[in-house]
Amino acid sequence: MSVKWLSLLLLLQLNCYFSSGSCGKVLVWPVEYSHWINVKTILDELVTRGHEVTVLTSQASVLIDPSKPSAIKFEIFPTLLTKDDFENTIKHMLDNWTYMVKDSFWTYFSTVQSIFGEFFDMQMKVCKDVVSNKKFMTKLHESRFDVVLADAIGPCGELLAEVLQIPLVYSLRFSPGFSLEKYGGKLPLPPSYVPVIMSELGDQMTFMERVKNMMYVLYFDFWFQTFNEKKWNQFYSEVLGRPTTLLETVGKADMWLIRTFWDFEFPRPLLPNFEFVGGLHCKPAKPLPKVLWRYHGKKPDTLGPNTRLYKWIPQNDLLGHPKTKAFITHGGTNGIYEAIYHGIPMVGIPLFADQPDNIAHMMAKGAAVRLDFNKMSTTDLLNALKQVINNPSYKQNAMRLSTIQHDQPMKPLDRAVFWIEFVMRHKGAKHLRPAAHDLTWYQYHSLDVTGFLLACVATAVFVITKCCLFCCQKFPKAGKKNKRE
Amino acid sequence: MSVKWLSLLLLLQLNCYFSSGSCGKVLVWPVEYSHWINVKTILDELVTRGHEVTVLTSQASVLIDPSKPSAIKFEIFPTLLTKDDFENTIKHMLDNWTYMVKDSFWTYFSTVQSIFGEFFDMQMKVCKDVVSNKKFMTKLHESRFDVVLADAIGPCGELLAEVLQIPLVYSLRFSPGFSLEKYGGKLPLPPSYVPVIMSELGDQMTFMERVKNMMYVLYFDFWFQTFNEKKWNQFYSEVLGRPTTLLETVGKADMWLIRTFWDFEFPRPLLPNFEFVGGLHCKPAKPLPKVLWRYHGKKPDTLGPNTRLYKWIPQNDLLGHPKTKAFITHGGTNGIYEAIYHGIPMVGIPLFADQPDNIAHMMAKGAAVRLDFNKMSTTDLLNALKQVINNPSYKQNAMRLSTIQHDQPMKPLDRAVFWIEFVMRHKGAKHLRPAAHDLTWYQYHSLDVTGFLLACVATAVFVITKCCLFCCQKFPKAGKKNKRE
């Protein structure tokens, strides 16, 4: 290749990375199901803007389907996990969660803990299959990606970014107890007014609710520090060839794209490298032909003539239909955001994960009522529906949330894509990284400084007391001495 | 007026407030000098977008000049303060600050404290003149403003918003010790990595620097809680006719527009109702005719032929000139932002207020060197200039900051105006207000919860110990009994 051609190529390359921000190369470490549905919206937009998007996936994938026609590239890595293994594990986890008897805090959370343990163990197996595959890793190295976009709840993306030495952007709904956000991202979460995820509390807490929140926080901290993390620290240290931790690696993320917004969240502290992009997948509804009902099983005999059954329905278009009065939902974040976007009040029947919490948020904001999946009757459902349809406050509150969602300085999808492009353009976003990352936990909480200052005060008090005592002892003596003289 | 006309008028009015967001009515409580220069940029933009802007001012104003032709309306209130009084007080304050010998922490801050005391006392007099003027207040009431835009450092704006019962948006560079932001706005400022304003510290602090920062924080907290605040609490309670405090009234602000950004700030926690809009006044430079020097006094005899003297120069255009190599600055935030915008390295000669801190920030980011105004020689200035011009790292760092300033998802001025319009459209921004406002200081820090939990643990330990002791006492007796039998 002549020097002239090489220069031209170099110039084009530089132009791509530095000026227009287009034609970047994005490597994606996704998580399945609803996580994928949300992240795919970002990927489609990245592709539309001219970027090259490569998604890592395996033959065990379910929704992440490389066979579907798409402008997104898929890089399939070999893994011992089969599709059946994966689906069975997930089904077992979610059934366990949905049908468990929530009779006490301890039984509930020990089950939740074992469910997350199962998920993280499976995730680690898959991650090991990727990073130990030298040929595959060499291929990734040679592809010279500009950024890793990873779902933080499925660890491995941060490890890939570290091995490939490229910047990292996270997409995240939540981690159990907000542990990754708090200890990895250094996000402050004061327990006095920030209800921890899965506590189902609001931000207006009574004293006993604040006690409950604090106990949840302590429980999650203990769980995260003790159990899952240790295995991961060892694994990451082995791969990177130096002592490190999961949290240290997570903490290198340049940007966190959180999949909620202030219509859903209770206002709480954030950091400059946290962007709340909830509802980025929402869009105006397309017209619908008739009333619909998605149903997979046998048609019930009692079904009225005004109800139609479909295997799949365009949920967003349905929620955006002017005649839609209410949304009966399991409370997934994607669905809730579609309801918020279109201003539809909800009847929530949460099943697992963040769903009970999501419905609790919507209830606190006056846009939903909640039913218990394991206990509800037909009458309960009917009453709940009547309540959200006939009491105008639910519609009003849903419309208020919708207004907040629509009235933003910039659309959430545009903000998400902006920050991914920014990180590609500038090879990171170091100017947004708080110095908290360089402190130990006791330095972060100023415990060393407080201890030192208290020691100083104690010493001063001691010295002054001693001086006073010395003076008191000396002067009476001097007085006596004077008397004698 | 016929019912038809009345309906039409009402319809137009509703249309203004609820749909387009245009033709809102903004009442402005400004602060003089550089504060006014910055805020006026926002006001001009609001006027351009069709809003009606009314600025409260008095005959004592200096830069806020109602006689200059402007689309901004001025409402002049009578005050006992004259322009001479005002200018002399400010001059006295700033001279005191600039020329004081900074030999110790205590002498420095007792002077600073008395300077701020003087300023706040003057501010209170003016505020009393406004709120006690019934005719003037009735006029403001009848004008039906949609929002108060106030500079938070000159208290009174929040009182006006409360009396007039309309939403409040703040513009703010800083308050001493960040007290208003921290205790009024509930902004978290961890002393371990957030250097307090006027400490001149960076975010990478040694142990002793963190001790210093903590002492500054404690000092400012003590100062603010003890001195200035008390007078204001009483004054505000009297005016509002119920017991209240300055901080409670400040805490009602819907939005805080902070006049810095992450190129200038060290990354730190923020809240959803804090928007960092630093550099909103910056704009591309217009061409310059020749080399210039602003100078007010007698022309020095030693002046070279390549230096021209002018009473006023367009600083922004000069900084944007391609031949500009360095900026000798007193370190005001407006000027620093113009240098950042155009990527010009700085020689800082700070005089007072946040200027030493601003230069410390620019030094930490490698874009400035600092000189001491009271001690520097001609050689020092020459060496400093040579350093920032000849060492390429200063230019590179200034250009890096410039890139951060330019590469934002949305321009700072647009963001500032968006949030003012948002607050007008929705009569506030309650969804961004953290529940921290409803907590006492000990609840906020979870001291009551921690105390309760510790008491529970202590009780449990006590009961268990008692049980063990009881068992120990009982079993030996039983043993002895058995032996006897």
Side-chain angles (χ1 to χ4, degrees):
Chain A
M1 200 183 278
S2 75
V3 176
K4 197 176 153 188
W5 273 104
L6 202 71
S7 310
L8 189 67
L9 248 170
L10 195 70
L11 197 72
L12 279 170
Q13 189 85 344
L14 287 172
N15 193 41
C16 286
Y17 291 147
F18 294 110
S19 79
S20 70
S22 64
C23 68
K25 293 180 80 174
V26 184
L27 180 65
V28 184
W29 180 257
V31 165
E32 267 286 351
Y33 301 111
S34 61
H35 295 242
W36 169 246
I37 291 173
N38 192 287
V39 165
K40 193 172 174 293
T41 312
I42 304 177
L43 306 187
D44 287 338
E45 182 64 24
L46 284 169
V47 164
T48 307
R49 297 193 191 191
H51 300 286
E52 189 184 308
V53 175
T54 307
V55 177
L56 292 185
T57 188
S58 72
Q59 71 275 19
S61 70
V62 183
L63 287 193
I64 307 169
D65 189 354
S67 65
K68 279 188 186 168
S70 166
I72 297 168
K73 288 186 181 181
F74 291 90
E75 197 68 71
I76 302 171
F77 58 87
T79 170
L80 296 173
L81 195 81
T82 68
K83 193 170 173 171
D84 282 348
D85 287 346
F86 179 75
E87 284 194 296
N88 289 337
T89 309
I90 297 286
K91 191 178 180 311
H92 172 247
M93 278 164 51
L94 301 188
D95 280 354
N96 249 5
W97 203 329
T98 303
Y99 298 106
M100 87 169 113
V101 183
K102 289 150 193 152
D103 49 1
S104 85
F105 177 90
W106 297 111
T107 54
Y108 179 70
F109 276 101
S110 60
T111 313
V112 169
Q113 199 169 315
S114 77
I115 288 168
F116 269 106
E118 214 174 330
F119 172 73
F120 285 125
D121 283 350
M122 186 171 65
Q123 192 72 19
M124 192 186 277
K125 273 185 202 157
V126 174
C127 187
K128 279 182 179 169
D129 284 339
V130 176
V131 293
S132 64
N133 186 332
K134 283 190 183 171
K135 200 178 150 193
F136 190 78
M137 288 304 289
T138 307
K139 195 179 173 188
L140 292 186
H141 253 299
E142 286 169 355
S143 298
R144 296 179 166 274
F145 291 103
D146 295 299
V147 69
V148 170
L149 174 64
D151 195 318
I153 199 60
C156 202
E158 56 290 326
L159 183 61
L160 289 171
E162 198 60 10
V163 171
L164 300 173
Q165 284 288 299
I166 47 176
L168 170 66
V169 174
Y170 273 138
S171 166
L172 179 65
R173 165 62 190 100
F174 80 102
S175 68
F178 291 135
S179 302
L180 287 181
E181 299 92 310
K182 187 162 62 169
Y183 296 110
K186 304 293 175 188
L187 189 69
L189 292 148
S192 55
Y193 69 97
V194 183
V196 71
I197 186 93
M198 301 205 279
S199 68
E200 297 172 39
L201 292 165
D203 63 345
Q204 304 285 344
M205 291 181 270
T206 62
F207 175 73
M208 282 318 290
E209 283 175 334
R210 288 191 290 112
V211 169
K212 190 179 164 189
N213 195 42
M214 180 67 94
M215 288 183 70
Y216 274 91
V217 168
L218 293 172
Y219 172 80
F220 282 118
D221 281 4
F222 179 73
W223 166 19
F224 193 77
Q225 298 294 336
T226 327
F227 297 96
N228 289 302
E229 216 206 325
K230 272 193 181 170
K231 292 183 203 171
W232 287 91
N233 293 351
Q234 203 185 334
F235 169 40
Y236 277 30
S237 301
E238 280 167 15
V239 173
L240 295 174
R242 55 179 161 82
T244 188
T245 63
L246 169 67
L247 289 179
E248 192 190 343
T249 322
V250 165
K252 299 206 169 163
D254 292 279
M255 180 57 64
W256 296 67
L257 305 173
I258 305 295
R259 298 199 292 264
T260 57
F261 188 59
W262 307 112
D263 36 17
F264 174 94
E265 292 279 350
F266 303 116
R268 57 183 172 97
L270 58 153
L271 285 168
N273 60 344
F274 277 71
E275 195 72 29
F276 285 71
V277 293
L280 58 79
H281 63 294
C282 300
K283 48 182 186 250
K286 288 179 211 137
L288 280 179
K290 45 213 153 196
V291 181
L292 300 149
W293 193 353
R294 176 188 178 279
Y295 186 78
H296 218 60
K298 191 178 159 272
K299 186 176 172 176
D301 298 331
T302 51
L303 203 70
N306 62 346
T307 313
R308 282 161 186 259
L309 297 181
Y310 287 82
K311 279 200 179 172
W312 182 86
I313 50 162
Q315 184 172 285
N316 184 61
D317 300 340
L318 195 63
L319 286 169
H321 192 276
K323 283 192 178 165
T324 303
K325 296 281 180 212
F327 179 35
I328 305 173
T329 174
H330 67 297
T333 317
N334 286 340
I336 286 207
Y337 259 104
E338 287 171 352
I340 288 177
Y341 185 88
H342 295 295
I344 304 298
M346 288 158 258
V347 173
I349 312 169
L351 305 179
F352 52 80
D354 56 337
Q355 294 161 14
D357 231 65
N358 295 347
I359 297 299
H361 277 233
M362 288 303 102
M363 284 167 71
K365 287 165 195 279
V369 294
R370 178 184 171 157
L371 293 173
D372 187 331
F373 179 63
N374 291 317
K375 291 177 189 162
M376 70 178 196
S377 66
T378 321
T379 326
D380 292 337
L381 181 59
L382 191 68
N383 288 342
L385 265 175
K386 277 184 182 164
Q387 197 177 335
V388 299
I389 292 171
N390 297 336
N391 182 338
S393 76
Y394 290 95
K395 179 68 186 176
Q396 281 159 14
N397 288 323
M399 285 306 294
R400 186 173 49 83
L401 300 185
S402 179
T403 307
I404 294 169
Q405 182 65 24
H406 286 274
D407 201 355
Q408 298 185 45
M410 200 171 168
K411 284 182 185 165
L413 182 58
D414 290 334
R415 284 188 286 127
V417 170
F418 174 88
W419 284 113
I420 296 167
E421 289 185 336
F422 184 98
V423 166
M424 288 200 279
R425 273 198 293 279
H426 303 289
K427 302 193 183 309
K430 292 283 169 287
H431 72 293
L432 299 178
R433 183 185 170 77
H437 285 283
D438 308 322
L439 300 175
T440 63
W441 66 271
Y442 57 87
Q443 288 173 334
Y444 177 84
H445 293 289
S446 293
L447 296 183
D448 54 345
V449 168
T450 310
F452 174 78
L453 288 176
L454 286 178
C456 289
V457 170
T459 309
V461 169
F462 178 77
V463 168
I464 291 166
T465 314
K466 276 284 170 188
C467 285
C468 289
L469 284 175
F470 177 77
C471 292
C472 290
Q473 282 173 333
K474 196 163 173 87
F475 283 115
K477 274 183 191 169
K480 280 179 188 173
K481 217 177 175 182
N482 288 343
K483 272 186 184 174
R484 276 182 204 167
E485 279 165 4
Chain B
M1 200 184 277
S2 75
V3 175
K4 195 177 154 188
W5 274 104
L6 202 69
S7 311
L8 189 67
L9 248 170
L10 195 70
L11 197 72
L12 279 170
Q13 189 85 343
L14 286 172
N15 193 40
C16 286
Y17 290 148
F18 293 110
S19 79
S20 70
S22 63
C23 69
K25 292 181 82 174
V26 184
L27 180 65
V28 184
W29 179 257
V31 165
E32 267 285 351
Y33 300 110
S34 61
H35 294 243
W36 169 246
I37 292 173
N38 192 287
V39 165
K40 193 171 175 292
T41 312
I42 304 178
L43 306 187
D44 288 338
E45 183 63 24
L46 284 169
V47 164
T48 306
R49 297 193 191 192
H51 300 287
E52 189 184 307
V53 175
T54 306
V55 177
L56 292 186
T57 188
S58 71
Q59 71 275 19
S61 72
V62 182
L63 287 194
I64 307 170
D65 190 355
S67 65
K68 278 188 187 169
S70 165
I72 298 169
K73 287 186 181 181
F74 291 89
E75 198 65 73
I76 302 172
F77 58 86
T79 171
L80 295 173
L81 194 82
T82 67
K83 191 170 174 171
D84 281 349
D85 286 346
F86 179 75
E87 282 194 297
N88 289 338
T89 310
I90 296 287
K91 192 178 179 313
H92 172 247
M93 278 164 50
L94 300 188
D95 281 355
N96 249 5
W97 203 330
T98 304
Y99 297 107
M100 89 170 111
V101 184
K102 289 148 191 152
D103 50 0
S104 85
F105 177 89
W106 297 111
T107 53
Y108 179 70
F109 276 101
S110 59
T111 313
V112 168
Q113 199 170 313
S114 75
I115 288 168
F116 270 106
E118 215 174 328
F119 172 74
F120 285 125
D121 283 350
M122 186 170 66
Q123 193 71 21
M124 192 186 276
K125 272 185 204 157
V126 174
C127 187
K128 280 183 177 168
D129 285 338
V130 176
V131 294
S132 63
N133 187 330
K134 283 190 181 171
K135 198 178 152 195
F136 190 78
M137 288 304 289
T138 307
K139 194 178 174 190
L140 292 186
H141 254 299
E142 286 168 354
S143 297
R144 297 179 166 275
F145 291 102
D146 296 298
V147 68
V148 169
L149 174 62
D151 195 319
I153 199 60
C156 202
E158 56 288 327
L159 183 62
L160 289 171
E162 198 59 11
V163 171
L164 300 173
Q165 284 289 299
I166 46 176
L168 170 66
V169 174
Y170 273 138
S171 167
L172 179 64
R173 165 62 190 100
F174 80 103
S175 68
F178 291 134
S179 302
L180 287 181
E181 299 92 310
K182 187 162 62 168
Y183 296 110
K186 304 292 176 190
L187 188 70
L189 292 149
S192 56
Y193 69 97
V194 183
V196 71
I197 187 93
M198 300 205 279
S199 68
E200 297 173 41
L201 292 165
D203 63 344
Q204 303 285 345
M205 291 182 270
T206 62
F207 174 74
M208 283 317 291
E209 283 176 333
R210 286 191 292 114
V211 169
K212 191 180 162 188
N213 195 42
M214 180 66 93
M215 289 182 70
Y216 274 91
V217 168
L218 294 173
Y219 172 80
F220 281 118
D221 282 2
F222 179 73
W223 166 18
F224 193 76
Q225 298 294 336
T226 327
F227 297 96
N228 289 302
E229 216 206 325
K230 272 194 182 168
K231 291 185 205 171
W232 287 90
N233 294 352
Q234 202 185 336
F235 169 42
Y236 277 30
S237 301
E238 280 167 15
V239 174
L240 295 174
R242 56 178 162 83
T244 188
T245 63
L246 170 67
L247 289 180
E248 192 190 343
T249 322
V250 165
K252 300 207 168 161
D254 292 279
M255 181 56 64
W256 296 67
L257 305 173
I258 305 294
R259 297 200 291 264
T260 56
F261 187 60
W262 307 111
D263 37 17
F264 174 94
E265 292 279 351
F266 303 115
R268 57 184 172 97
L270 59 154
L271 285 168
N273 60 344
F274 277 70
E275 195 72 31
F276 285 72
V277 292
L280 59 79
H281 63 294
C282 299
K283 49 182 186 247
K286 288 179 212 138
L288 280 179
K290 46 212 154 197
V291 182
L292 301 150
W293 193 353
R294 178 188 178 277
Y295 186 78
H296 218 60
K298 191 176 159 275
K299 185 177 171 175
D301 298 332
T302 52
L303 201 70
N306 62 345
T307 313
R308 283 162 185 259
L309 297 182
Y310 287 82
K311 279 200 180 173
W312 182 86
I313 52 163
Q315 185 171 286
N316 184 61
D317 300 340
L318 195 63
L319 285 169
H321 192 276
K323 284 191 178 167
T324 303
K325 296 281 181 212
F327 179 35
I328 305 173
T329 175
H330 67 297
T333 317
N334 286 341
I336 286 207
Y337 260 104
E338 287 171 352
I340 288 177
Y341 186 88
H342 295 294
I344 304 298
M346 290 157 257
V347 172
I349 313 170
L351 305 179
F352 53 80
D354 57 336
Q355 294 163 12
D357 231 65
N358 295 348
I359 297 299
H361 277 232
M362 288 301 103
M363 284 167 71
K365 288 168 193 278
V369 292
R370 177 183 173 158
L371 293 173
D372 186 331
F373 179 63
N374 291 318
K375 289 177 189 166
M376 71 177 194
S377 67
T378 321
T379 325
D380 292 337
L381 181 58
L382 191 67
N383 287 343
L385 264 176
K386 277 183 183 167
Q387 197 177 337
V388 299
I389 293 171
N390 297 335
N391 182 338
S393 75
Y394 290 95
K395 179 69 185 176
Q396 281 159 13
N397 288 323
M399 285 307 294
R400 187 173 47 83
L401 299 184
S402 179
T403 307
I404 295 169
Q405 181 65 24
H406 286 274
D407 202 354
Q408 298 185 46
M410 198 171 169
K411 284 182 186 167
L413 182 58
D414 290 334
R415 283 188 286 128
V417 170
F418 174 88
W419 284 113
I420 296 167
E421 289 185 336
F422 184 97
V423 167
M424 288 199 281
R425 272 198 293 280
H426 303 290
K427 304 195 183 304
K430 292 285 170 286
H431 71 293
L432 299 179
R433 183 185 170 79
H437 285 282
D438 308 321
L439 300 176
T440 63
W441 66 270
Y442 59 86
Q443 288 173 333
Y444 176 84
H445 293 290
S446 293
L447 296 184
D448 54 345
V449 168
T450 311
F452 174 77
L453 289 176
L454 286 179
C456 290
V457 170
T459 309
V461 169
F462 178 77
V463 168
I464 292 166
T465 314
K466 276 284 170 191
C467 286
C468 288
L469 284 174
F470 177 76
C471 293
C472 289
Q473 282 173 334
K474 196 162 174 86
F475 283 115
K477 272 181 194 170
K480 278 178 188 173
K481 219 176 176 182
N482 289 340
K483 270 185 186 175
R484 275 180 205 168
E485 281 167 2

